[in-house]
Amino acid sequence: MSLFKARDWWSTTVGEEEEFDLGCLCVANIDNATDELDKIIIGSYHGILRIFNPKPTKTDDGWSGYKPEDVLLEASLPEPILQLEAGKFVSGTENLHLAVLHPRKIAVYKVGVTSGAVEHGRHFQLNMSFEHNLKRTAFNFCFGPFGGVKGRDFLCVQSMDGTVSIFEQESFSFCRFLPGALLPGPIRYMPKLDSFVTVSSTWQLECYKYQVLAVATDAKTKEESQNIKSGKRVTWDWCYNLGEQALDLVVVNYENCPPSILVLGERNIFCLTEIGKLRWMKKLEYEPSCFLPYCSVVENTINCLIGTHTTNSLMVYQDITLKWAAKLDFTPVQVKLATFQDLKGVIVTLSDKGRLECSYLGTDPALFIPPVPESRELNYADMDREMAQLQKRIKQSSHKAVLMPNLKKQEDDLQLLATVNTNFDDVSMATEVEFEDPDPVPSITVRVQVKARLTIEHINMHVHACWPLKSNVSSFEISSVDPSNPSEQFVSFFIVGKAMPADMTVSVSANYMSASGAPRVATARVKLPVKLVIKPVAPVKNAEFKLTLDSNKPPANLNELFPDLLGENAGGQGAALGFQYYGNGPIVTVLASKTSQRYRLQCDRFEAMWLMVKELSGRLNSHFNRGKNDSFALYFAGQLPLQEYFDLIDAHFEHRLNADRCKEMLNQRASQFRAIQRRLLTRFKDKTPSPLANLDTLLEGTYRQILHLADTIEENNQSQEVAALSLSSATSLFNYLIKLWTNMSEEEYKVLQQCVSPVVSSSTEQGWQESVDAAVTHLLRTTLAKSSKDQTLNPQPLHIPEDTTKVKKHLALMCDKLGKGARLVEGLPTNSMVNMNPTPRKEKKAKISATSKTVMENGHIDNSDDTETLIGSQFGQHKSKRNKEQDYGSDINGLSDLSMLGLPAENVDDGMTEKRKKKHIEAMVPDLDDMDDEPVALES
């Protein structure tokens, strides 16, 4: 389409496999240099921030182009970069600072320059001035002197749900909902009218007064306004119906033309006055990708650069008249104008793949004249013969044609192979074992083989084993691996912690540099045998928890299923086997019925049965599916053990609450300790000696309390880790029982595992309870919802709940809906196989009536059917029996010594709770009479 091509002045390709879009490019004198020349700032969705200062030189062949010293700064930020802007964002100075928008926060940075002793000694630093955490996921932001302030710029962040948050530099101002917000659009600030203009999801250009947004609040404090769910209805000052989605929006205010608002649509470009009157509109014959208005030399006109998708061109318009067209080598997603040392008005363009180019418009035509082909006479006989051969080849290859392209992964330079030894080590490598056991703790060796396609040097190997499992080495280095001589390493694994592992999978990873110089990681995972953590013992007749699994095949001999775990049970009838966890752990008994097709597992700990259920299921499938007939299946005909599962959820949650309480109390004691130190220092510096008034005694007592709190926090962290493993095992067992109970497909089971995750993280910000509650609530709203009335918007951000009532209620409701035939994957028919397995047993059922209303994050959603959720009774009703195993693992009900610190061991909802919170500081201070013991040395 274009005869002329944009002349390349300076260009480079940024990053490797990074993505960019509108908002990732900014041009400004960000280092506040005295020459006032612009720098190019770009940020990617991978969180990489770069600053360039192009300085090409003129050569005989043109411009020298990109040089490494053109990069002033490159920094990796922890979150994706959505938008960059430069402005006067810091109080007390009018220097430019860089505002960076992340999905959950907005940060303001200062680009500082440090001069060196040599020519190239200058280096740039990125220093954070301040940041604001956002309660909602951000979309974009704008800035300006809101309210008519002078010499300062404020920030306005628009969220994905249509909320705008105003930040007055370092402080948060207020937060508002825009009416009818469904999808966010571009937003800009008009300084002359002190208003915001944005394009709503109804394809209307709307204008809102800043003062109207500022007074429309119901929140009493600024902190409450960030958590608003409703407020006074905000009305726009004016609106204009565009009739199409807006790609970008710019407010211009030049001296030789009236203030205008330019909107780039999908097929048109609009120019409106500041009061919403249309000045002109231009229909485009192509798909635009970006645009940039700039000042024109002609009175009352506006020039505009528009990038295109289909033709990769840069169109120059003066109002509605096309003045120039330049060809580009890529499709720009953003365009800017910049002033550099040797050239003014440089066009800076950025592509979505990271192609950054500085160009100018030239009049040299880029014409290609093809050479004249050699003339020859056509031989039609040869042409017919060649056509017949090609048709024959096409016909032959059509039988081997594939519908999908060949997506074969390129062969890696390094390959890891891990193999587990079948037998234990002759000499156990177990060290630093945290428990005592009458039998020696075994270890097993894994052979790690490293193969290379070509010679690779300096390979760093890392062994990953989750506690309570451990390896004899955690990392080692291989100097070199040759293709003809693979390297072999041996790693031993064993159990060290007094806990039950939730997964027996370990991994080995290798970090190396590929032939192209890029860092690469190769990983190999291997499953350790279950005999590494359990040992054979005599079966136990009675146990608190019992689990019965039905099958469609005659019961197998347990001696044949577990030949490596017989021990003293060898030579028996094969109807009962016992297994005990190392460290005097719980005993799991496996029974095979002689008359029916059932297997029973029983144990005094509910979560301890998971590894044996998983092992029994795998060995039964391998035993019966040896031939071509793979019709073996397991069923679960009992009631789901909700109450036993909920007890473990409460136990883990109690440790999380204890951690928060102890940290809060430690902070208070540290503040008290510093205050006493300041008072003592003042008295010691006083020229006139004065009595200490027992401050030294109080200092010593506070120091002892800090030491005791630190020990308590460490003990709670260890107990929480054990509780997390128990909850992880119980979650895996719970999900597997649901799969057997509902005859769930593998696709549905994968969805269930992702929602009710068996991975219990130790994060304090987003814990397991709130994450699972959000996932299960989403299932109840979408896949398991009965009608569209259950749909709600604007979910609240995740935070630690007050108790576990909500997550337990939602889990029970999910199980009830699955029991009635609901499916976790849309499009599948109603499940009619729930509890349809052969010979169901009669069980004593304990039922609870589900509430008629389910509390959701954004309000109350009616649940019209009064369901009854089966919580299961076959797992025993006597919860006091749990205390018999308290010596193995952690205390179920939390820390036992919290009462010594002035904290309740459980959440007791009575009238004394508030009084205890007010007096817990005084309760921490010991009596002065107790300070006569041996003095404690204070650390300086």
Side-chain angles (χ1 to χ4, degrees):
M1 179 178 179
S2 173
L3 289 176
F4 302 99
K5 185 178 181 181
R7 308 302 302 273
D8 186 7
W9 183 67
W10 180 91
S11 62
T12 182
T13 300
V14 180
E16 182 178 356
E17 297 182 358
E18 297 185 34
E19 296 182 4
F20 303 84
D21 206 344
L22 180 64
C24 295
L25 172 65
C26 179
V27 173
N29 182 22
I30 196 61
D31 59 343
N32 299 284
T34 56
D35 54 10
E36 298 183 356
L37 297 179
D38 293 331
K39 288 28 173 223
I40 303 176
I41 310 105
I42 61 172
S44 68
Y45 286 167
H46 291 242
I48 308 299
L49 179 70
R50 299 177 178 88
I51 301 179
F52 297 92
N53 184 20
K55 291 183 179 180
T57 57
K58 190 69 175 178
T59 62
D60 296 338
D61 298 332
W63 296 97
S64 59
Y66 169 79
K67 292 179 292 184
E69 53 264 29
D70 294 342
V71 182
L72 301 184
L73 176 67
E74 182 171 357
S76 177
L77 301 183
E79 297 181 23
I81 299 175
L82 304 182
Q83 188 176 346
L84 299 170
E85 296 291 349
K88 304 173 183 178
F89 302 124
V90 178
S91 59
T93 178
E94 291 190 3
N95 290 337
L96 293 180
H97 288 72
L98 183 64
V100 181
L101 181 65
H102 300 292
R104 280 288 182 171
K105 70 177 180 180
I106 184 169
V108 174
Y109 295 90
K110 176 186 177 182
V111 179
V113 185
T114 303
S115 300
V118 296
E119 180 182 0
H120 300 290
R122 287 198 319 159
H123 64 277
F124 291 74
Q125 294 179 345
L126 191 67
N127 302 318
M128 179 183 292
S129 299
F130 61 90
E131 66 177 6
H132 295 290
N133 292 321
L134 305 175
K135 298 294 183 180
R136 293 173 170 83
T137 304
F139 178 73
N140 59 6
F141 78 99
C142 66
F143 68 97
F146 305 161
V149 298
K150 302 295 183 181
R152 293 189 297 169
D153 288 329
F154 296 162
L155 298 169
C156 174
V157 181
Q158 183 179 208
S159 304
M160 293 293 293
D161 57 357
T163 309
V164 291
S165 303
I166 307 298
F167 298 92
E168 296 182 358
Q169 294 186 340
E170 291 88 352
S171 60
F172 169 74
S173 181
F174 59 88
C175 183
R176 299 291 175 271
F177 276 121
L178 297 182
L182 180 61
L183 295 174
I187 186 172
R188 292 291 185 271
Y189 174 73
M190 289 194 301
K192 187 174 181 180
L193 297 182
D194 194 22
S195 303
F196 297 99
V197 287
T198 183
V199 179
S200 66
S201 56
T202 57
W203 295 352
Q204 289 189 141
L205 182 65
E206 299 174 352
C207 176
Y208 297 91
K209 290 284 189 181
Y210 175 73
Q211 296 298 332
V212 174
L213 295 177
V215 298
T217 177
D218 288 334
K220 298 179 181 179
T221 63
K222 292 182 178 180
E223 288 76 16
E224 292 177 359
S225 63
Q226 283 215 62
N227 297 322
I228 60 173
K229 304 181 183 67
S230 63
K232 294 181 180 179
R233 180 173 179 82
V234 180
T235 57
W236 36 258
D237 189 34
W238 55 261
C239 74
Y240 180 83
N241 188 8
L242 298 176
E244 63 179 324
Q245 178 62 38
L247 302 180
D248 200 1
L249 168 66
V250 176
V251 177
V252 297
N253 191 5
Y254 304 133
E255 295 180 356
N256 59 349
C257 68
S260 303
I261 304 171
L262 280 85
V263 183
L264 178 65
E266 295 177 338
R267 287 294 181 181
N268 300 277
I269 182 171
F270 305 85
C271 181
L272 297 92
T273 64
E274 57 188 0
I275 59 174
K277 298 292 183 65
L278 182 66
R279 289 187 58 201
W280 49 263
M281 183 185 77
K282 171 66 176 177
K283 181 176 178 60
L284 305 177
E285 298 179 356
Y286 47 82
E287 295 181 5
S289 61
C290 60
F291 87 128
L292 176 69
Y294 65 98
C295 183
S296 174
V297 295
V298 181
E299 196 75 12
N300 294 328
T301 60
I302 301 174
N303 286 359
C304 189
L305 291 173
I306 301 179
T308 65
H309 270 294
T310 53
T311 59
N312 294 344
S313 300
L314 199 62
M315 322 296 285
V316 183
Y317 284 87
Q318 187 178 80
D319 284 352
I320 60 174
T321 305
L322 180 64
K323 292 294 185 179
W324 199 266
K327 190 76 172 178
L328 296 175
D329 296 329
F330 54 86
T331 300
V333 295
Q334 193 168 0
V335 58
K336 294 283 186 180
L337 293 180
T339 299
F340 297 114
Q341 184 174 359
D342 299 325
L343 195 61
K344 296 182 179 180
V346 177
I347 302 173
V348 182
T349 51
L350 177 67
S351 73
D352 60 342
K353 299 299 183 183
R355 180 65 179 175
L356 181 63
E357 184 170 302
C358 297
S359 57
Y360 59 93
L361 301 181
T363 56
D364 298 334
L367 299 178
F368 171 74
I369 302 176
V372 180
E374 297 181 1
S375 60
R376 59 176 181 176
E377 296 181 358
L378 300 179
N379 191 334
Y380 292 102
D382 294 341
M383 293 174 60
D384 293 340
R385 194 180 303 109
E386 184 180 0
M387 178 62 72
Q389 293 177 356
L390 292 176
Q391 288 179 349
K392 182 179 180 181
R393 188 180 303 175
I394 292 173
K395 187 176 181 181
Q396 292 176 353
S397 61
S398 62
H399 300 288
K400 305 177 182 179
V402 292
L403 298 178
M404 295 295 294
N406 187 9
L407 301 178
K408 184 178 181 180
K409 184 179 179 182
Q410 186 178 2
E411 186 179 358
D412 294 331
D413 295 339
L414 194 72
Q415 185 180 6
L416 289 182
L417 298 176
T419 308
V420 184
N421 194 1
T422 56
N423 300 321
F424 287 144
D425 298 336
D426 295 335
V427 179
S428 177
M429 303 294 292
T431 57
E432 300 179 1
V433 180
E434 303 172 4
F435 56 85
E436 294 182 359
D437 195 273
D439 297 327
V441 178
S443 66
I444 197 166
T445 300
V446 175
R447 186 184 71 168
V448 181
Q449 190 175 14
V450 183
K451 296 182 179 180
R453 191 166 55 92
L454 33 98
T455 303
I456 299 177
E457 298 179 350
H458 304 296
I459 304 173
N460 294 321
M461 306 291 294
H462 299 275
V463 182
H464 308 274
C466 295
W467 190 86
L469 298 177
K470 189 180 178 182
S471 59
N472 60 339
V473 291
S474 59
S475 63
F476 53 91
E477 183 178 352
I478 301 176
S479 59
S480 177
V481 176
D482 189 79
S484 60
N485 187 19
S487 175
E488 283 189 355
Q489 301 292 333
F490 297 92
V491 182
S492 297
F493 293 91
F494 45 88
I495 184 171
V496 295
K498 193 174 182 180
M500 294 170 291
D503 191 7
M504 298 297 294
T505 302
V506 296
S507 62
V508 181
S509 61
N511 300 341
Y512 65 96
M513 301 296 292
S514 64
S516 60
R520 291 289 183 266
V521 178
T523 304
R525 291 178 174 84
V526 63
K527 181 182 178 182
L528 301 178
V530 72
K531 65 180 181 180
L532 189 64
V533 297
I534 62 174
K535 59 183 179 180
V537 294
V540 178
K541 184 176 182 181
N542 298 320
E544 182 179 355
F545 303 110
K546 298 179 181 179
L547 182 67
T548 302
L549 301 179
D550 296 308
S551 67
N552 57 354
K553 296 289 185 180
N557 191 308
L558 297 182
N559 292 346
E560 298 178 2
L561 291 180
F562 299 94
D564 54 339
L565 287 170
L566 294 179
E568 59 185 24
N569 299 321
Q573 298 180 359
L577 294 178
F579 310 98
Q580 184 181 20
Y581 286 87
Y582 280 100
N584 293 324
I587 298 176
V588 183
T589 302
V590 181
L591 304 172
S593 175
K594 298 180 180 180
T595 58
S596 61
Q597 303 173 358
R598 295 174 181 170
Y599 301 89
R600 168 166 288 182
L601 294 92
Q602 57 188 25
C603 182
D604 290 332
R605 296 281 295 275
F606 169 68
E607 65 274 14
M609 292 188 289
W610 160 239
L611 283 183
M612 290 312 304
V613 168
K614 183 179 180 182
E615 191 72 16
L616 177 64
S617 174
R619 299 200 181 198
L620 284 175
N621 278 282
S622 300
H623 178 76
F624 286 106
N625 295 339
R626 294 175 181 175
K628 298 182 179 179
N629 186 11
D630 55 351
S631 59
F632 175 76
L634 286 175
Y635 306 98
F636 178 63
Q639 305 300 329
L640 292 179
L642 285 178
Q643 189 57 49
E644 288 74 15
Y645 183 46
F646 291 164
D647 290 342
L648 293 171
I649 295 177
D650 293 336
H652 177 261
F653 185 72
E654 187 66 32
H655 285 93
R656 293 184 59 194
L657 294 181
N658 289 338
D660 290 343
R661 295 170 189 160
C662 292
K663 289 179 182 178
E664 179 183 0
M665 190 172 295
L666 182 61
N667 187 24
Q668 294 173 351
R669 289 297 171 271
S671 301
Q672 175 179 315
F673 188 75
R674 291 190 295 268
I676 300 173
Q677 281 182 323
R678 286 193 296 267
R679 292 196 177 188
L680 280 174
L681 184 61
T682 303
R683 300 208 176 189
F684 288 150
K685 287 183 178 180
D686 194 358
K687 295 180 180 180
T688 304
S690 59
L692 298 180
N694 292 326
L695 285 178
D696 55 343
T697 306
L698 188 61
L699 182 70
E700 183 179 354
T702 306
Y703 180 69
R704 288 184 177 182
Q705 293 169 0
I706 291 177
L707 293 181
H708 182 64
L709 273 173
D711 295 338
T712 304
I713 291 176
E714 184 177 358
E715 179 185 349
N716 182 76
N717 291 339
Q718 295 176 356
S719 301
Q720 183 178 348
E721 189 172 3
V722 176
L725 287 174
S726 299
L727 180 58
S728 178
S729 299
T731 303
S732 300
L733 179 59
F734 182 71
N735 292 342
Y736 188 70
L737 292 180
I738 292 179
K739 177 186 178 183
L740 300 182
W741 184 52
T742 61
N743 195 21
M744 190 176 291
S745 63
E746 290 297 331
E747 185 179 4
E748 292 179 282
Y749 185 57
K750 184 178 180 181
V751 174
L752 181 64
Q753 288 281 78
Q754 292 173 348
C755 292
V756 188
S757 174
V759 179
V760 182
S761 64
S762 59
S763 173
T764 58
E765 297 180 356
Q766 294 185 2
W768 184 88
Q769 282 78 11
E770 51 265 35
S771 301
V772 170
D773 184 34
V776 174
T777 302
H778 179 73
L779 274 183
L780 295 175
R781 290 175 179 172
T782 54
T783 308
L784 301 179
K786 290 177 30 177
S787 60
S788 60
K789 72 176 184 178
D790 291 339
Q791 306 289 333
T792 57
L793 300 175
N794 301 331
Q796 289 184 346
L798 295 182
H799 60 274
I800 183 170
E802 297 180 357
D803 51 39
T804 58
T805 304
K806 187 183 296 185
V807 63
K808 292 190 292 187
K809 184 185 299 182
H810 291 166
L811 284 171
L813 184 58
M814 180 194 71
C815 295
D816 178 72
K817 291 183 177 293
L818 291 176
K820 293 182 177 180
R823 308 302 291 265
L824 293 180
V825 177
E826 295 182 355
L828 296 179
T830 302
N831 192 356
S832 60
M833 298 298 294
V834 180
N835 283 333
M836 295 299 291
N837 37 8
T839 63
R841 305 183 315 277
K842 293 184 178 180
E843 301 274 353
K844 181 181 179 181
K845 300 180 181 179
K847 300 183 179 181
I848 60 172
S849 178
T851 58
S852 59
K853 292 185 178 180
T854 302
V855 180
M856 298 300 181
E857 275 79 352
N858 203 32
H860 295 273
I861 300 178
D862 292 337
N863 185 19
S864 57
D865 57 337
D866 295 332
T867 59
E868 288 186 342
T869 305
L870 301 178
I871 64 173
S873 60
Q874 71 174 36
F875 286 86
Q877 301 291 331
H878 306 289
K879 302 304 172 190
S880 59
K881 293 184 180 180
R882 277 187 170 275
N883 296 329
K884 67 170 68 176
E885 296 287 347
Q886 286 186 3
D887 58 335
Y888 186 80
S890 65
D891 187 5
I892 298 299
N893 296 323
L895 296 177
S896 59
D897 57 349
L898 282 179
S899 57
M900 300 172 57
L901 306 178
L903 288 174
E906 296 182 354
N907 286 332
V908 182
D909 190 11
D910 53 13
M912 298 299 294
T913 303
E914 293 298 328
K915 295 182 179 180
R916 291 177 181 175
K917 289 183 179 179
K918 293 180 180 179
K919 295 182 179 180
H920 73 283
I921 296 180
E922 291 80 358
M924 283 287 296
V925 182
D927 295 336
L928 297 180
D929 297 337
D930 298 336
M931 294 301 171
D932 297 333
D933 301 335
E934 182 180 355
V936 180
L938 301 180
E939 296 179 359
S940 58

